[in-house]
Amino acid sequence: MSYKNVARGRGAAAAAEDPRVLDAVKRILEAGGNAVDAAVAAAAIQGVCRPMSGGLGGGGFMLIRLPSGKTVVVEHREQATAAFGPESLVDDHGAELPNADRAVHGHSVGVPGAVRAWDEALRLYGRLSFAEVLAPSIELAREGFEVDATLGREIAERRDDFAMFEPTRRIYLTPDLQALPVGTWLRNPDLARAYELIAEQGAKVFYEGEIAEAIVRTVNEPPAAEGVTRPVRAGLMTLDDLTHYTVRHLEPVRYRFGDYEIAGPPLPSSGALTVGEALGVLDRLESGSLVHQLHRYLQVSRMVFVDRDAYLGDDRHVDVPAAALLSEDYLRARAAGIDSETAVPGDLSTGGAPWMSQEPDSPSTIHMTVDDGRGMTVSYTSTIVSMGGSGIVVPGLGFLLNDALAGRTAFRGGLYGSARPMSRMRPLSSMAPSTVERDGELVMALGSPGGTTIITTTLQILYLTLGAGMSLEEALAFPRVTQRNEPGGLALAEPAFLRRDFADELRALGHEFDVWQPVEGIGAANGIEFSANVTAVAEPVRRGGGAAAVWEL
């Protein structure tokens, strides 16, 4: 079926990056499933046709708004092994490994949380069985699909890493080790088999059975291809690491902007806390023209990234002053530090180590939004972290493992130790699936991929809609700029942003810009807006454009 990036009407609605996701959502809803059933089916399909971004080998945050109005977060971030620590990602001389080597290291693989989360979400909130929701993915993996421009570009960017591992070569590279050309028909029967095992045996096979054993074997003995000269470094994962992985069902972070209440995931995601702090500060500043709104957005974004980098981490392992960051006194104090006329030059700091600025801004994460038309809405962001994760496919099972721990080394910390390698830590995330309510009624649900730019993309969209009065469609199409307190205070802007008149006006106010280089743009958001009708909106251009649909079922 052909989809556009905007759809309006009455009934169920969904927005995603790939049209095959919407096909699966429609099929599940027509079979009697609800939004949770559809979201799990969508995430599984993404693991087939968007394998560089999500799937069985990763984790994420599923934000569920139930028909009762209660909202729950199913937290399933990847988790470090018991053996993970300060010596895990250094060389034989104790020096920090380069980023490129850490990404393909067995120690960088965290225990995946997706399958356990899908299982628990279906049992607690869904209507259909695992077998029913995985059926579309099994069929697509077995029958195959055409490699599009986005997937082709992503494979090409990881070609050298993929060439290191035999099962990855076999799926994603040609016999002469080139990236699969656009238009290639890609089948993955091994992935179909993995989904079939889960459909038949449930999550137990992934965390205790055949798949668990294969993951442990792959991490500890990475399947290096013949002739590889780059070091292939093993991890140290045990079956106990998988068996004892738990999903957490948490209360969301809630914060206000004007008459609106926004909900998002709590730690170990920094997304909602950081966006919440930013909107809290912006809400305490005077409004003005679009230029001055962008001026304040950029200033406040810099400020809250200072706090994020210094204070946030896995609150099961380190003390985090989360409540203080959203307190009235702190928000007013932060607002008092904003100059309404001039941007602050240079670096901002609280004295914390600026380790967050070294995080990769991978577009690999993926988001989808679905509402079943019967009162249940899911905003779901999932990931295998870097584009293509660790580059390691589990032999015989066809899925890529994450590299969630690659950014953690003994030489990075922050005031609260949030980046230090720690046994069974869950790395700090930027994911920010969100819902917006006014007077208890759902107004909007949205989210985006994009590494740390998830925070600025979500913040910009929310500020443009709730603060500047744009529709969700207008806010998603608006050119993006991300300010994350980069060295020297530079903001990175899409070329379309720099072509607008307001860019010169912002420069006159003291802002300095550099061009955002990745061709796919900043983020790849989607969401649903609720009023008399429902409007589903996906990206018009970024990452190849998305797909949206509204159905009367």
Side-chain angles (χ1 to χ4, degrees):
M1 183 176 176
S2 177
Y3 300 99
K4 297 181 179 180
N5 76 296
V6 179
R8 295 179 176 84
R10 295 177 180 271
E17 183 177 315
D18 194 286
R20 287 159 290 214
V21 172
L22 300 192
D23 291 340
V25 167
K26 184 172 185 286
R27 174 172 166 179
I28 293 301
L29 294 177
E30 288 179 337
N34 62 20
V36 166
D37 299 308
V40 173
I45 279 280
Q46 287 171 165
V48 179
C49 60
R50 286 287 178 255
M52 303 299 112
S53 301
L56 298 177
F61 295 85
M62 182 186 294
L63 184 72
I64 306 170
R65 189 179 189 274
L66 300 167
S68 64
K70 176 180 173 61
T71 300
V72 64
V73 178
V74 182
E75 185 268 299
H76 52 288
R77 183 72 163 129
E78 305 89 339
Q79 181 168 288
T81 64
F84 186 72
E87 305 304 317
S88 296
L89 296 171
V90 297
D91 64 19
D92 295 338
H93 306 288
E96 176 183 351
L97 288 169
N99 288 339
D101 290 347
R102 290 203 307 270
V104 293
H105 195 310
H107 268 308
S108 291
V109 179
V111 176
V115 174
R116 184 146 281 166
W118 297 352
D119 177 58
E120 293 189 14
L122 291 173
R123 286 191 292 105
L124 292 173
Y125 311 112
R127 294 177 176 176
L128 304 182
S129 68
F130 232 153
E132 289 172 299
V133 300
L134 292 182
S137 301
I138 293 168
E139 293 172 12
L140 185 63
R142 194 169 298 284
E143 295 172 4
F145 61 95
E146 192 174 276
V147 174
D148 63 13
T150 298
L151 179 55
R153 183 183 67 247
E154 291 171 347
I155 296 172
E157 290 182 15
R158 290 299 302 273
R159 182 188 69 86
D160 292 346
D161 293 337
F162 285 4
M164 294 176 62
F165 306 104
E166 183 57 42
T168 317
R169 282 184 177 188
R170 185 167 53 82
I171 297 172
Y172 296 114
L173 302 183
T174 63
D176 62 348
L177 302 185
Q178 299 303 305
L180 291 180
V182 173
T184 302
W185 197 257
L186 175 57
R187 294 185 176 87
N188 193 342
D190 289 349
L191 181 56
R193 179 173 176 270
Y195 280 131
E196 286 172 337
L197 288 170
I198 297 165
E200 294 165 2
Q201 301 178 44
K204 186 173 183 179
V205 71
F206 194 93
Y207 292 94
E208 300 177 38
E210 178 181 342
I211 298 179
E213 292 170 356
I215 292 172
V216 170
R217 188 165 54 247
T218 302
V219 169
N220 297 344
E221 301 174 19
E226 186 176 350
V228 171
T229 57
R230 287 175 64 186
V232 177
R233 294 180 168 88
L236 190 59
M237 185 178 285
T238 67
L239 281 174
D240 189 64
D241 289 321
L242 279 97
T243 301
H244 289 92
Y245 181 90
T246 58
V247 166
R248 298 194 298 166
H249 300 260
L250 304 173
E251 289 289 325
V253 171
R254 292 188 179 275
Y255 54 95
R256 297 197 67 85
F257 180 80
D259 295 333
Y260 301 95
E261 183 178 73
I262 303 101
L267 295 168
S269 176
S270 65
L273 276 168
T274 307
V275 174
E277 182 187 347
L279 285 176
V281 174
L282 288 166
D283 201 22
R284 286 155 180 80
L285 299 171
E286 293 182 4
S287 60
S289 68
L290 178 60
V291 170
H292 278 85
Q293 286 176 315
L294 292 171
H295 168 61
R296 285 188 286 273
Y297 154 72
L298 291 168
Q299 289 181 294
V300 171
S301 185
R302 283 193 72 195
M303 180 178 282
V304 298
F305 262 85
V306 171
D307 289 342
R308 175 190 186 269
D309 296 357
Y311 299 126
L312 301 188
D314 183 348
D315 58 348
R316 302 172 310 146
H317 292 268
V318 294
D319 293 327
V320 178
L325 294 173
L326 297 181
S327 68
E328 177 67 23
D329 288 347
Y330 192 72
L331 294 175
R332 287 192 179 280
R334 279 312 217 178
I338 296 295
D339 190 319
S340 62
E341 299 299 330
T342 307
V344 178
D347 296 318
L348 298 178
S349 176
T350 58
W355 62 273
M356 285 294 179
S357 64
Q358 303 177 56
E359 284 190 348
D361 293 317
S362 171
S364 65
T365 305
I366 197 162
H367 181 83
M368 66 83 55
T369 314
V370 60
D371 179 84
D372 59 19
R374 296 184 291 267
M376 182 180 283
T377 307
V378 176
S379 183
Y380 185 16
T381 313
S382 58
T383 191
I384 55 172
V385 191
S386 294
M387 183 189 297
S390 64
I392 308 172
V393 164
V394 180
L397 295 169
F399 62 90
L400 285 156
L401 292 169
N402 68 81
D403 66 334
L405 307 174
R408 276 63 199 165
T409 80
F411 305 99
R412 302 180 188 177
L415 290 178
Y416 285 71
S418 47
R420 289 200 304 267
M422 292 178 279
S423 174
R424 292 189 170 159
M425 69 179 292
R426 296 194 182 184
L428 191 67
S429 168
S430 298
M431 288 184 268
S434 305
T435 57
V436 181
E437 297 180 10
R438 182 170 52 192
D439 299 328
E441 297 294 323
L442 187 61
V443 174
M444 192 161 47
L446 74 154
S448 177
T452 54
T453 68
I454 290 173
I455 293 170
T456 54
T457 297
T458 305
L459 173 59
Q460 182 174 335
I461 292 170
L462 288 172
Y463 193 43
L464 290 176
T465 53
L466 308 183
M470 291 187 187
S471 67
L472 182 59
E473 179 182 358
E474 292 169 328
L476 260 69
F478 195 85
R480 292 196 186 124
V481 58
T482 179
Q483 171 55 274
R484 293 158 295 156
N485 198 36
E486 297 283 341
L490 286 176
L492 299 178
E494 293 178 339
F497 186 95
L498 298 177
R499 289 193 295 267
R500 299 284 290 269
D501 291 343
F502 53 61
D504 288 334
E505 295 180 68
L506 289 167
R507 288 189 183 97
L509 291 170
H511 296 280
E512 297 181 354
F513 300 100
D514 201 354
V515 179
W516 177 263
Q517 296 293 342
V519 297
E520 62 270 7
I522 300 174
N526 59 67
I528 302 173
E529 194 169 37
F530 301 89
S531 57
N533 291 322
V534 61
T535 303
V537 186
E539 289 285 359
V541 177
R542 297 177 185 95
R543 242 158 88 164
V550 176
W551 305 280
E552 290 188 24
L553 300 175

